Amino acid sequence: MDEARLRSLTPNVLAVLVRRGADFAAAEDAVQEALVEAVRVWPTAPPRDPKGWLITVAWRKFLDETRADTARRRREDLVDQEPAPGPAASRDDTLQLYFLCAHPSLTPSSAVALTLRAVGGLTTRQIARAYLVPEATMAQRISRAKRTVSGVRFDQPGDVATVLRVLYLVFNEGYSGDIDLAAEAIRLTRQLAAAIDHPEVSGLLALMLLHHARRATRTAPDGSLVPLAEQDRGRWDTASIAEGVAILQAALARDRLGEFQAQAAIAALHADAPTAEETDWVQIVEWYDELLRLTDSPVVRLNRAVAVGQADGPRAGLAALAELDGTLPRHTAVAAYLHERDGDLATAARLYAEAAHKASSLAERDHLTRQAARLNARGHG
């Protein structure tokens, strides 16, 4: 039973039902039921045409539900339109599903959940586990999202930027529960890149591959965070780095720069440095300047201050940091780091401890607490 193959068929099967006139929410439910049936039947009786089998079963599930629901009697005429069984058409409507799931009326969390179910083929239980919420909560979120997009025309043009933002949100969830969302985001972005020729789609895929290449070195065996400068670069995934760089170079050659391409360029410079000391921080600052021209983001300004501190010295970094809102997430941690590099260990230790109290995760809090303890020990040594 090839679960990945089964999940890859999901968006096309769903798209066929919607194109035949099924309401999106009802079609999605029918496809999920067909997937459950496939898991039960296929190991002992694998179909010659898996996609055609799923379409036939899902369509019948939909019709059964249509007949049973008196509130939807207006769909009874669909019963007579059931096509004869046979090989399924090869048309790929995955792209339309991406845009439907990233509809602007949906909240980011709802768009992510709907994308994972409708395009990714994950079950509600798997998505709930990945997001560490009760299954009933996730079921309600997905149900509301499906109702929201039910009246949306399937062929209306979508917003690529919104789709990319949803995929980026999925990627940033990383690994939790029994689903590797970072790997799932890469799989879905590859799928999108195959369906649409857009440099920012390539930029996002490159960014994901370059970040994912460092994944094994980001945490120590005890779960503690390992800063980029201290990671074992010999354990980075060189194949993913090479692929990411090649995809990025092809996208940049088209001279239609976007924020994901700029972020990927920064990630590529980190990946290209044999050691932390050999990192080309001057060029990284230049890419952050490009990124700021594309999106005047406070987070980008914060990251740029770190890069300036590396390229031009800690005092230049602190000057850039002083222009930013002190309530920004990680602002205090960045200030601590730059003060440490400037030799002011007492201030750095105090700021590390302060940043630890503001940390958004246990791993980050523990890391910052250890930094404060390390400097305090040096101060008293």
Side-chain angles (χ1 to χ4, degrees):
M1 186 69 197
D2 187 347
E3 185 182 341
R5 167 68 173 152
L6 189 64
R7 280 165 45 196
S8 71
L9 293 171
T10 300
N12 288 326
V13 176
L14 175 56
V16 169
L17 265 65
V18 173
R19 201 165 60 244
R20 288 181 183 175
D23 171 86
F24 179 85
E28 211 276 332
D29 287 339
V31 171
Q32 289 291 326
E33 289 186 41
L35 293 174
V36 171
E37 188 76 2
V39 170
R40 186 181 68 81
V41 172
W42 286 12
T44 55
R48 279 183 295 181
D49 178 15
K51 181 179 172 183
W53 187 97
L54 284 171
I55 290 171
T56 300
V57 173
W59 184 249
R60 286 174 181 164
K61 297 277 187 189
F62 165 71
L63 292 178
D64 287 344
E65 180 62 24
T66 300
R67 294 187 188 102
D69 192 342
T70 55
R72 287 181 274 172
R73 289 188 183 280
R74 60 189 174 82
R75 296 191 188 142
E76 283 294 335
D77 57 340
L78 292 174
V79 175
D80 300 324
Q81 297 175 19
E82 180 175 0
S90 61
R91 173 173 168 175
D92 187 351
D93 291 299
T94 304
L95 185 58
Q96 280 83 359
L97 284 180
Y98 273 105
F99 291 128
L100 193 64
C101 294
H103 193 267
S105 61
L106 295 175
T107 63
S109 62
S110 294
V112 166
L114 197 58
T115 298
L116 287 172
R117 235 187 82 129
V119 186
L122 301 184
T123 65
T124 302
R125 176 175 295 180
Q126 287 173 318
I127 300 169
R129 284 180 180 171
Y131 281 88
L132 306 178
V133 299
E135 186 176 351
T137 301
M138 186 55 70
Q140 289 176 346
R141 185 180 300 173
I142 291 172
S143 179
R144 283 195 299 269
K146 288 196 296 186
R147 284 198 300 271
T148 299
V149 301
S150 284
V152 177
R153 286 189 59 188
F154 188 61
D155 58 352
Q156 73 176 31
D159 178 9
V160 175
T162 305
V163 174
L164 295 180
R165 191 74 53 205
V166 168
L167 289 171
Y168 192 49
L169 286 171
V170 175
F171 179 78
N172 285 334
E173 287 299 320
Y175 177 84
S176 53
D178 59 352
I179 295 297
D180 186 339
L181 288 177
E184 182 65 14
I186 292 173
R187 184 182 77 84
L188 294 175
T189 306
R190 282 190 192 280
Q191 203 177 69
L192 184 62
I196 182 173
D197 182 23
H198 194 292
E200 271 295 81
V201 177
S202 298
L204 179 59
L205 180 56
L207 177 63
M208 288 178 174
L209 289 168
L210 290 163
H211 278 314
H212 205 57
R214 306 199 303 258
R215 177 172 174 175
T217 63
R218 285 206 185 98
T219 54
D222 63 0
S224 59
L225 295 180
V226 180
L228 176 61
E230 299 171 21
Q231 290 173 13
D232 180 358
R233 294 172 186 238
R235 294 176 57 213
W236 286 0
D237 183 347
T238 53
S240 290
I241 290 172
E243 183 186 4
V245 168
I247 292 171
L248 173 63
Q249 288 174 337
L252 291 175
R254 300 177 64 176
D255 200 24
R256 287 171 54 199
L257 186 64
E259 61 177 293
F260 288 120
Q261 293 169 74
Q263 286 188 53
I266 293 167
L269 286 166
H270 283 299
D272 191 48
T275 65
E277 292 72 27
E278 294 173 85
T279 304
D280 189 346
W281 287 106
V282 172
Q283 198 174 347
I284 286 175
V285 171
E286 291 172 358
W287 275 110
Y288 272 121
D289 290 339
E290 291 287 347
L291 194 51
L292 278 175
R293 278 191 277 275
L294 294 164
T295 169
D296 190 13
S297 159
V299 174
V300 172
R301 289 189 177 279
L302 187 69
N303 291 331
R304 180 184 178 278
V306 176
V308 168
Q310 296 286 0
D312 302 327
R315 298 211 173 169
L318 287 167
L321 189 65
E323 299 174 7
L324 305 179
D325 185 348
T327 63
L328 270 174
R330 291 184 53 248
H331 186 285
T332 308
V334 169
Y337 172 74
L338 291 171
H339 276 291
E340 180 184 356
R341 288 200 65 237
D342 195 36
D344 187 352
L345 303 190
T347 300
R350 176 178 58 77
L351 289 171
Y352 275 131
E354 185 182 325
H357 287 293
K358 301 175 181 177
S360 58
S361 72
L362 183 61
E364 185 183 1
R365 188 190 73 189
D366 289 347
H367 173 70
L368 293 167
T369 300
R370 279 193 296 272
Q371 299 295 350
R374 174 178 56 81
L375 294 186
N376 283 325
R378 282 177 61 182
H380 292 105

